[in-house]
Amino acid sequence: MGWLIFLALVIMLAAWGIGTYNAIIWKKNSTDNAWAQIDVQLKRRHDVIPNLVETAKGYMGHERETLEKVIQARTQATQATAVKEKESAENFLTSTLRSLFAVVEQYPDLKANQNMLRLQEELTSTENRIAFARQYYNDEVMRFNTYIEQVPAVFLAQMFGFGKKDLFQVESLEEKKAPQVKF
Amino acid sequence: MPYSFVAIEKEKTHTIAVLLVILVVMYFFTCWGAWLIVKNAAVLQATRGEGFRFLGISLPEVVVVFLIAMIAGVVHYAYSTSRLIPRLLALLKAEPLDTHSRTHQQLQNIIDEVCVAAGGLCIQGCVVRSAACNAFSLSDGKENSYIGVTEGLLLRLNRAQLESVIGHEAAHIAMGDTVIYTVSTSLFGMYEGAMSGLRESCSGGRSLRGRGGGFWFPGGLALGFIMCMHGLNRFIMASVAQEKEFRADAVAVKLTRNPLALAESLYIVSQFWHGQKESQRGLESLFFADPAVEEETVFSSHPPLSERLGILLAMAHADEPALEAALARVRPRIRQAKRHARASRRVRRKTDGQAWSVLEEGRWKGPFVLSELQGLKWFTASHKVRREGAPAVKPAYEDHVLRSLFASAANEKEASFSCPHCYQGLSPRYYEGEQIHVCPSCKGVLCGRSRLDTILIREEASFSPETVELAHHIKDECEQRFKEIRALKTPFILPCPQCGKKMRRKLLSRAAPVEVDLCIWCDLVWLDRGELELVQVLYDEREDKDSFLA
């Protein structure tokens, strides 16, 4: 009788182990997929930028430096691979694009250009998609991290070496600082 | 997350199976009743009432009835769900998005963005050319999911607000509600029409019995069946829909992280007309706001808008007066602001004027012969010309000899269309976010008939006081003498810029008595200079906007 109870316990333990392991794998793959989705959207952004620069070039002969900065930032972003490296490269690209659009404001003809309007809408949409893809990735990472840190999954996670995943944070350190108001 | 794909798949299969079972059970009891009545009626007929005893149903008969119910249920299901989405889209008068329209492009982008936020849903967009303020979602559970938005809603919401509405509809799709609504509407919604027909005939004082004489029995049975189906549809919708609307709002906020935008959209929608009651009867659950009622109650397919608004405002740490104030601030009167710019452009246009001797930059040049004119790079159809020996000065496009010159030039440039008046190549332009083709000389406008409807619904452009005054004159005159005005039409004058066949000259509609040229083959409308603005003013001042479009 005793060994029967023991056998039942072993089977239950194995079933729990398999179930938990599968759940960890499922969540891990979900986060990987979410990361791949960010990549897709970043690629989309990198594809829009050359067209944007090309359209702006005709009107902004004196702003060559700004345009070159955007191109340089784009090249850096396409070459980055690691999460942290990608983060900083994309942040730099975002800041150069911001300065480009600030300059575009000074050129009414360029602002009214149909092609430019279309590209701006395309870029706005792409930025939103990146933000949403990042949000989805961070949600998935949070689910994964929470799951592998909770009892009882934490035992299996440690046994098989599943570690916490990094969140994708876009704000630069400067942006995180609270703004100082001076009178 | 409440919207994992595996959970959706499971729920979808489960719900559809439940709906099929409900259908079979309904048919089973209907067949059971019919069998019982027919059997007893036959016995009553045979015995002529002598020693009549009510007969029940034996087990083999139950099996037969069950088989009949099964077959009827499956046939009904197969019929209702075949070409489900195209049928419903046609019923809702939804059209695919126009790739040339910037507003539609933006809508498609927003849908794609929300799909990304939901982790990779696949949803297509469509649009309903109506001034109503509403949105809907459709899904057949087989990768075919649609979100439709009315032009009225596109006009009134900004990007963030539209995103929140799309988020709400995407939440319905992601949670599997849309599949239930779509299939259920298709299975049971068809009885809604029959039910309203019955209601009308009853209110008209005509009963089935009185009309058909001997048909009272099958008529009564059909009535009972239709009422059961109608009740069932109402029950399914009322039991599931209200709670699901709150959940969809919550998921939409989770997707867009912007409860205030959703609250603003709900508020704006609550301030405007939601849609036509009759045409959308039975389809209410598919919509963002219930089109069948002015104000939702606990018994309608949607929870009261005020209740949803209250929850969202609490999430956004705001209240209704603050919301109203914010919306009033961000919606300036665009038309008034643009009026001055339009007036100054008009004055500039009047000073233009050039010329066989051609008036160029205030000086007469020439005279030039035709071949010389052809070689002049600066010469356009809008230049004023004066034929040698004739005192009249007129634009080049009004001169019938020079017209041929511009017609051949337009062909060489391979312009997509050429003006039917002056044969200049028409240049594509965006007006109210829609692509139209404008003649650079006579300023006539060519656009598709359906695109004209969209332009009328939008309200970005402003109009001069002269245009408004002229529109009032036309309206007044039309009210007094519409028949006479209609009789004045001169059919078939201008050639269609696309197919070359003669266009039909007619009044656009009774509500817009402006003479336009219509090509019935290409569905294109040609409006002379200023006519588009006139039609817009007439549309804006009309209360019953949808009948205007029709």
Side-chain angles (χ1 to χ4, degrees):
Chain A
M1 188 64 191
W3 66 269
L4 263 176
I5 294 169
F6 177 73
L7 193 68
L9 277 174
V10 168
I11 289 171
M12 277 168 67
L13 198 68
W16 167 80
I18 291 168
T20 312
Y21 182 81
N22 285 351
I24 293 175
I25 292 294
W26 174 261
K27 286 181 171 56
K28 183 183 153 296
N29 286 347
S30 284
T31 52
D32 290 347
N33 175 47
W35 176 248
Q37 293 308 315
I38 300 184
D39 260 357
V40 171
Q41 302 310 331
L42 290 178
K43 171 86 172 48
R44 192 185 146 91
R45 165 146 94 163
H46 300 158
D47 290 346
V48 174
I49 288 170
N51 288 333
L52 187 78
V53 170
E54 204 54 44
T55 309
K57 216 186 252 175
Y59 294 84
M60 297 168 59
H62 305 295
E63 308 286 349
R64 197 153 291 276
E65 201 186 325
T66 318
L67 295 174
E68 275 168 8
K69 256 189 190 169
V70 176
I71 291 289
Q72 189 194 343
R74 178 191 174 268
T75 316
Q76 275 178 20
T78 47
Q79 284 166 357
T81 46
V83 178
K84 289 286 165 198
E85 199 184 342
K86 216 165 223 179
E87 248 180 58
S88 59
E90 290 298 336
N91 288 344
F92 180 51
L93 181 57
T94 308
S95 67
T96 54
L97 280 174
R98 260 184 218 155
S99 55
L100 173 67
F101 281 117
V103 175
V104 166
E105 288 295 314
Q106 298 163 15
Y107 293 81
D109 286 350
L110 178 57
K111 256 171 69 183
N113 181 301
Q114 288 298 328
N115 209 16
M116 191 67 185
L117 285 172
R118 195 180 57 76
L119 284 168
Q120 256 181 324
E121 162 60 25
E122 232 11 62
L123 202 64
T124 309
S125 174
T126 311
E127 295 293 335
N128 287 349
R129 285 177 211 207
I130 293 169
F132 282 135
R134 210 174 59 221
Q135 174 186 305
Y136 184 69
Y137 169 76
N138 285 345
D139 284 347
E140 289 295 305
V141 167
M142 196 196 74
R143 282 176 68 202
F144 175 75
N145 287 349
T146 311
Y147 190 73
I148 63 164
E149 284 183 349
Q150 278 176 338
V151 177
V154 66
F155 305 124
L156 267 188
Q158 279 176 356
M159 196 188 297
F160 289 99
F162 290 112
K164 273 177 75 175
K165 281 183 178 284
D166 287 336
L167 292 169
F168 192 103
Q169 289 163 339
V170 160
E171 306 98 301
S172 60
L173 286 175
E174 288 78 41
E175 282 175 346
K176 270 190 177 174
K177 282 180 193 165
Q180 290 183 345
V181 183
K182 285 179 186 170
F183 296 100
Chain B
M1 287 276 193
Y3 44 88
S4 90
F5 288 118
V6 178
I8 294 164
E9 288 296 318
K10 271 185 196 161
E11 191 176 343
K12 189 174 70 192
T13 323
H14 185 72
T15 315
I16 288 173
V18 169
L19 284 173
L20 189 58
V21 168
I22 290 174
L23 202 64
V24 171
V25 169
M26 276 298 303
Y27 272 107
F28 178 71
F29 283 114
T30 312
C31 292
W32 178 304
W35 188 281
L36 211 62
I37 293 166
V38 169
K39 190 175 167 184
N40 282 294
V43 172
L44 193 66
Q45 191 83 20
T47 57
R48 300 187 178 199
E50 291 168 19
F52 171 70
R53 207 157 47 84
F54 189 80
L55 295 173
I57 288 185
S58 63
L59 190 63
E61 284 171 340
V62 171
V63 174
V64 171
V65 166
F66 182 71
L67 283 175
I68 292 171
M70 276 282 279
I71 292 166
V74 170
V75 168
H76 181 160
Y77 182 84
Y79 172 74
S80 299
T81 53
S82 66
R83 295 190 69 251
L84 179 62
I85 298 287
R87 273 196 296 128
L88 282 175
L89 285 176
L91 199 63
L92 293 163
K93 294 180 185 159
E95 294 170 21
L97 298 181
D98 182 357
T99 47
H100 296 294
S101 162
R102 268 214 309 274
T103 318
H104 289 189
Q105 260 176 4
Q106 193 187 46
L107 174 64
Q108 186 59 58
N109 279 340
I110 291 174
I111 292 175
D112 291 345
E113 287 162 26
V114 172
C115 287
V116 171
L121 284 176
C122 184
I123 301 172
Q124 295 174 63
C126 55
V127 72
V128 180
R129 290 184 198 276
S130 159
C133 245
N134 223 327
F136 65 86
S137 57
L138 290 176
S139 177
D140 63 355
K142 297 174 199 157
E143 308 292 317
N144 283 325
S145 300
Y146 281 84
I147 289 181
V149 176
T150 59
E151 286 285 354
L153 194 76
L154 279 180
L155 163 74
R156 291 183 178 97
L157 301 192
N158 64 26
R159 194 184 179 107
Q161 290 159 353
L162 199 56
E163 201 160 65
S164 65
V165 174
I166 302 292
H168 174 96
E169 294 303 327
H172 276 311
I173 292 174
M175 293 189 304
D177 305 344
T178 308
V179 180
I180 305 174
Y181 294 161
T182 312
V183 175
S184 170
T185 300
S186 173
L187 286 178
F188 307 112
M190 58 196 271
Y191 298 104
E192 293 279 337
M195 194 66 201
S196 55
L198 277 172
R199 256 191 231 121
E200 271 168 31
S201 66
C202 289
S203 63
R206 294 172 293 162
S207 70
L208 285 167
R209 184 173 184 166
R211 206 190 319 166
F215 292 106
W216 65 272
F217 167 63
L221 202 64
L223 177 69
F225 183 66
I226 289 169
M227 281 179 77
C228 282
M229 284 296 187
H230 171 76
L232 197 65
N233 189 28
R234 288 274 148 187
F235 172 74
I236 292 173
M237 291 308 164
S239 60
V240 297
Q242 289 218 356
E243 186 206 342
K244 285 181 187 290
E245 290 302 321
F246 288 122
R247 274 181 61 199
D249 281 348
V251 176
V253 170
K254 196 166 187 174
L255 290 176
T256 59
R257 311 280 154 113
N258 195 349
L260 191 61
L262 187 56
E264 285 173 356
S265 332
L266 274 174
Y267 181 80
I268 292 170
V269 168
S270 72
Q271 299 299 306
F272 290 95
W273 174 57
H274 305 166
Q276 281 170 323
K277 292 178 193 173
E278 292 309 316
S279 68
Q280 278 137 12
R281 197 177 282 283
L283 307 172
E284 297 94 341
S285 343
L286 300 171
F287 284 89
F288 179 65
D290 195 341
V293 287
E294 294 298 332
E295 200 172 317
E296 286 82 356
T297 62
V298 281
F299 299 108
S300 54
S301 65
H302 288 58
L305 275 177
S306 55
E307 211 173 310
R308 289 165 74 183
L309 199 60
I311 296 172
L312 290 165
L313 285 172
M315 277 170 143
H317 305 291
D319 55 12
E320 209 167 322
L323 183 77
E324 276 176 38
L327 287 176
R329 203 168 50 244
V330 297
R331 292 174 59 75
R333 301 290 302 161
I334 304 165
R335 291 184 178 201
Q336 284 173 1
K338 285 187 178 175
R339 190 164 289 169
H340 292 293
R342 171 75 56 119
S344 63
R345 271 208 300 278
R346 189 175 289 269
V347 172
R348 254 184 284 147
R349 240 183 264 142
K350 277 183 186 168
T351 57
D352 282 352
Q354 320 299 329
W356 292 88
S357 286
V358 186
L359 191 64
E360 165 72 353
E361 291 174 350
R363 291 173 58 189
W364 286 101
K365 291 188 178 175
F368 299 105
V369 295
L370 200 62
S371 57
E372 282 173 330
L373 279 174
Q374 209 164 6
L376 292 175
K377 284 186 181 166
W378 49 266
F379 179 58
T380 64
S382 54
H383 276 88
K384 287 275 168 71
V385 294
R386 186 177 60 197
R387 247 193 230 209
E388 284 304 299
V393 177
K394 54 187 172 185
Y397 65 82
E398 281 185 16
D399 190 295
H400 68 276
V401 181
L402 295 180
R403 256 187 212 172
S404 58
L405 190 76
F406 301 123
S408 58
N411 288 338
E412 275 170 28
K413 274 195 223 163
E414 290 182 351
S416 50
F417 302 116
S418 58
C419 172
H421 276 302
C422 40
Y423 301 100
Q424 282 258 71
L426 299 180
S427 50
R429 232 178 254 174
Y430 280 92
Y431 181 71
E432 302 264 18
E434 290 291 314
Q435 196 184 39
I436 57 172
H437 291 81
V438 184
C439 174
S441 303
C442 66
K443 308 294 176 202
V445 170
L446 178 78
C447 70
R449 182 70 184 83
S450 55
R451 204 164 274 177
L452 179 65
D453 292 346
T454 313
I455 290 173
L456 293 182
I457 293 167
R458 297 201 181 137
E459 291 176 354
E460 286 166 20
S462 59
F463 311 110
S464 64
E466 295 90 353
T467 310
V468 176
E469 202 178 326
L470 187 57
H472 288 163
H473 278 306
I474 290 175
K475 202 170 140 192
D476 294 343
E477 196 171 359
C478 174
E479 274 167 14
Q480 291 159 12
R481 321 186 281 138
F482 182 72
K483 279 185 185 166
E484 287 172 51
I485 294 171
R486 194 167 56 178
L488 285 174
K489 67 183 179 185
T490 41
F492 303 129
I493 293 180
L494 297 174
C496 169
Q498 183 160 291
C499 65
K501 289 176 185 158
K502 293 284 183 193
M503 292 196 278
R504 182 181 285 275
R505 176 157 289 186
K506 58 175 285 214
L507 298 178
L508 190 61
S509 70
R510 190 184 177 117
V514 176
E515 215 176 32
V516 297
D517 296 280
L518 275 168
C519 177
I520 51 169
W521 311 103
C522 311
D523 206 24
L524 290 172
V525 191
W526 173 262
L527 299 119
D528 288 334
R529 178 180 182 167
E531 284 179 350
L532 180 58
E533 287 85 356
L534 274 179
V535 178
Q536 279 185 287
V537 173
L538 288 168
Y539 175 78
D540 279 358
E541 294 187 351
R542 178 100 179 168
E543 283 176 12
D544 183 12
K545 293 193 188 301
D546 264 27
S547 72
F548 187 100
L549 293 178

